[in-house]
Amino acid sequence: MRGLSTKSDFSLFLGCLIPNRLPEIEKSTRLVCERLGINLHDMKGASCCPAPGVMKSFDKALWLKIAGRNLDIAANMGMDIITLCNGCYGTLKDASMELKDDPELQEVVRASLSTIDRDLGKIVDVYHFVEYLYFDYGLDDLSDHITKKLDYKVAAHYGCHLLKPIKYRRTKDFDAPTFFDELIELTGSTSVDYVEKNTCCGAGGGLRSGLKDVALDIARKKVASIKDANMIVTPCPFCHMQLAQVSNIPVVYYSQLLALSMGFSEEEVGMAVGK
Amino acid sequence: MNKDVRSCMKCGSCTASCPSGRVVAFRTRKLVEDRAIGEIDYDDLSLWYCTTCFNCMERCPRGIDITDEILKIREEAYRKGKVLEPHRAVLRYIYRSGHAVPINPEVREKRMALGLSELPPTTHTFEEALLEVRRIMEDEGIEYKE
């Protein structure tokens, strides 16, 4: 069920890695959304979501308060949030659901936000971009915009927080989901199966920042099982960065793939700029 | 369903589902067991091997919220000052810039080459927004002066 948003207007939550490391993801998403009639509005003054792996591990209350501030920015805009990152989605979606479910927790967060003249407003809903495309925008409407059939062989990587915890996710099938494969195949590409398809990339939970060798071992195991693909496609900049570090084939964000199938050039979607 | 860690029947589904457990000696079941008997070793590095993938939690036949429990254990470790330096650095970045990963000169260039604003419309652009984030952190006792 839709929340506050009018039809296609959303608060765009950028996070950290996309604007500050992989801006080609921001660029390609802005391009495709303009074409699709999805109006993305900047959340002025938004911060880190904050990073679930570190902040939630250290101090859950602080994690909720900073997330609450970001939710309040969107509430003041009167629009639900679209995120482009599984980590930001994990934080903002889970924080939004936990706060809606728990009035006492809400009071704690409201009390903290009152010191900076903020509230929480009406707690907004949070969507991951690819979730919104599949479940709300719809494959039929999306296919109307696809003008160039691609024929890539794609290794799809969902990432963990797009799918779990399932109590806060719309699809309950975390073992063999298909919606991201369907979005990929809509572009004319083939989503090829591989043994470690549903394995974690290894970056989350603070593992990449804290114990990188272990994190990369997990990624290597995953990537080594990809046999017959020309690219990995992800819905997450953190998984993206992690897999790109150990992969011999390009790692592409979903918006870039979609943009190519809408006729945008590789240069326009930043594929010449960053790996 | 009983979500208490003490309801663990030691089936090992959690350990078998763990992506870290395949590459290092991290045994989720052992951690759940240590929790149940109240004997957590906060110096054990393996507390930080969890990627929070949630596989163990979703697969636990007893319905124990294992990932949430691991995060609680980590919070306790943090309060005891048992923290990895790179993780503390992330907190410092957030305090100083509002971002866990702040922008750098190379990406400023890359943004402009793509036709985006040099800085994103975040705490990087709005100084007063950064002060708000700092205030929330300071109220929790976190402060990193330049």
Side-chain angles (χ1 to χ4, degrees):
Chain A
M1 195 178 74
R2 299 302 320 282
L4 279 177
S5 294
T6 55
K7 214 167 153 202
S8 313
D9 288 81
F10 288 92
S11 307
L12 173 64
F13 187 80
L14 288 170
C16 299
L17 285 176
I18 290 173
N20 299 337
R21 286 295 179 276
L22 300 166
E24 57 270 31
I25 295 178
E26 180 181 339
K27 175 70 190 299
S28 54
T29 304
R30 289 184 189 275
L31 282 177
V32 297
C33 283
E34 199 181 331
R35 188 70 70 81
L36 295 172
I38 301 168
N39 304 314
L40 301 177
H41 301 265
D42 287 339
M43 292 175 62
K44 295 192 174 85
S47 67
C48 179
C49 54
V54 172
M55 196 65 99
K56 205 175 173 186
S57 293
F58 282 5
D59 186 339
K60 188 175 174 189
L62 179 59
W63 170 78
L64 264 176
K65 289 169 186 176
I66 297 178
R69 179 183 169 274
N70 285 322
L71 294 172
D72 182 56
I73 293 174
N76 286 335
M77 296 164 70
M79 292 169 215
D80 290 333
I81 290 177
I82 277 187
T83 78
L84 312 175
C85 165
N86 288 5
C88 300
Y89 182 60
T91 281
L92 296 177
K93 175 79 176 179
D94 296 357
S96 159
M97 299 293 276
E98 282 196 42
L99 288 167
K100 283 178 190 175
D101 285 350
D102 189 339
E104 280 179 30
L105 217 50
Q106 259 187 51
E107 279 319 302
V108 172
V109 173
R110 286 186 200 280
S112 167
L113 294 182
S114 70
T115 66
I116 53 169
D117 293 324
R118 287 188 178 274
D119 187 44
L120 253 182
K122 183 177 186 308
I123 299 169
V124 296
D125 288 336
V126 179
Y127 299 83
H128 190 295
F129 180 51
V130 299
E131 170 200 26
Y132 173 75
L133 286 180
Y134 185 85
F135 292 100
D136 301 284
Y137 197 90
L139 294 186
D140 283 347
D141 286 351
L142 194 54
S143 66
D144 290 344
H145 295 274
I146 291 178
T147 54
K148 184 181 168 190
K149 286 285 175 188
L150 310 173
D151 59 356
Y152 298 120
K153 287 181 177 171
V154 170
H157 171 77
Y158 282 75
C160 301
H161 298 148
L162 181 62
L163 304 169
K164 296 165 280 182
I166 57 172
K167 65 179 170 180
Y168 295 146
R169 298 295 180 269
R170 287 159 89 176
T171 174
K172 304 301 174 194
D173 184 1
F174 69 94
D175 265 325
T178 61
F179 69 92
F180 193 47
D181 302 84
E182 290 176 53
L183 282 168
I184 287 167
E185 298 210 322
L186 202 68
T187 69
S189 302
T190 306
S191 177
V192 301
D193 200 13
Y194 60 107
V195 176
E196 301 278 346
K197 186 173 172 185
N198 290 312
T199 303
C200 173
C201 74
L207 193 61
R208 182 178 160 90
S209 57
L211 298 157
K212 200 167 188 176
D213 292 347
V214 178
L216 290 176
D217 278 349
I218 296 172
R220 278 189 204 99
K221 229 180 166 68
K222 178 176 180 102
V223 168
S225 82
I226 299 172
K227 297 298 180 206
D228 189 28
N230 8 67
M231 62 171 67
I232 299 170
V233 172
T234 75
C236 173
F238 202 30
C239 301
H240 189 112
M241 199 174 247
Q242 167 85 347
L243 297 175
Q245 195 169 342
V246 299
S247 173
N248 294 321
I249 54 175
V251 181
V252 171
Y253 186 83
Y254 182 70
S255 301
Q256 292 178 301
L257 183 75
L258 184 60
L260 292 179
S261 75
M262 290 178 168
F264 291 106
S265 68
E266 288 194 10
E267 195 181 15
E268 282 174 294
V269 304
M271 286 175 69
V273 178
K275 187 180 173 185
Chain B
M1 191 172 279
N2 189 347
K3 292 187 170 241
D4 193 301
V5 285
R6 286 169 296 183
S7 69
C8 170
M9 57 188 185
K10 302 180 173 53
C11 71
S13 296
C14 50
T15 299
S17 302
C18 178
S20 286
R22 301 166 72 205
V23 300
V24 284
F26 174 44
R27 301 292 171 257
T28 316
R29 187 182 73 170
K30 173 77 166 48
L31 191 58
V32 173
E33 190 180 331
D34 289 350
R35 185 61 154 180
I37 59 175
E39 289 185 6
I40 294 292
D41 175 5
Y42 293 98
D43 288 311
D44 185 352
L45 196 61
S46 65
L47 290 185
W48 303 96
Y49 284 145
C50 169
T51 67
T52 68
C53 77
F54 289 103
N55 278 351
C56 56
M57 184 163 129
E58 300 298 0
R59 295 203 174 118
C60 177
R62 290 298 226 186
I64 301 170
D65 290 332
I66 301 173
T67 313
D68 293 348
E69 202 61 40
I70 292 173
L71 290 173
K72 281 182 200 158
I73 295 169
R74 286 179 170 186
E75 279 194 85
E76 291 159 14
Y78 170 71
R79 286 198 289 273
K80 292 173 189 292
K82 315 272 187 188
V83 174
L84 300 177
E85 181 45 38
H87 290 159
R88 204 178 283 287
V90 171
L91 271 193
R92 205 158 49 226
Y93 284 132
I94 296 175
Y95 183 84
R96 288 186 179 157
S97 72
H99 285 290
V101 180
I103 198 151
N104 61 32
E106 187 194 336
V107 181
R108 283 177 185 243
E109 292 287 325
K110 194 165 151 186
R111 289 184 61 85
M112 288 192 291
L114 285 164
L116 296 167
S117 57
E118 182 178 352
L119 289 173
T122 61
T123 48
H124 272 335
T125 298
F126 300 95
E127 172 76 18
E128 66 279 13
L130 176 57
L131 296 178
E132 288 185 9
V133 174
R134 285 185 181 171
R135 176 68 196 271
I136 294 172
M137 295 178 82
E138 285 160 7
D139 287 346
E140 295 278 325
I142 296 168
E143 198 168 341
Y144 294 99
K145 292 295 179 199
E146 300 289 338

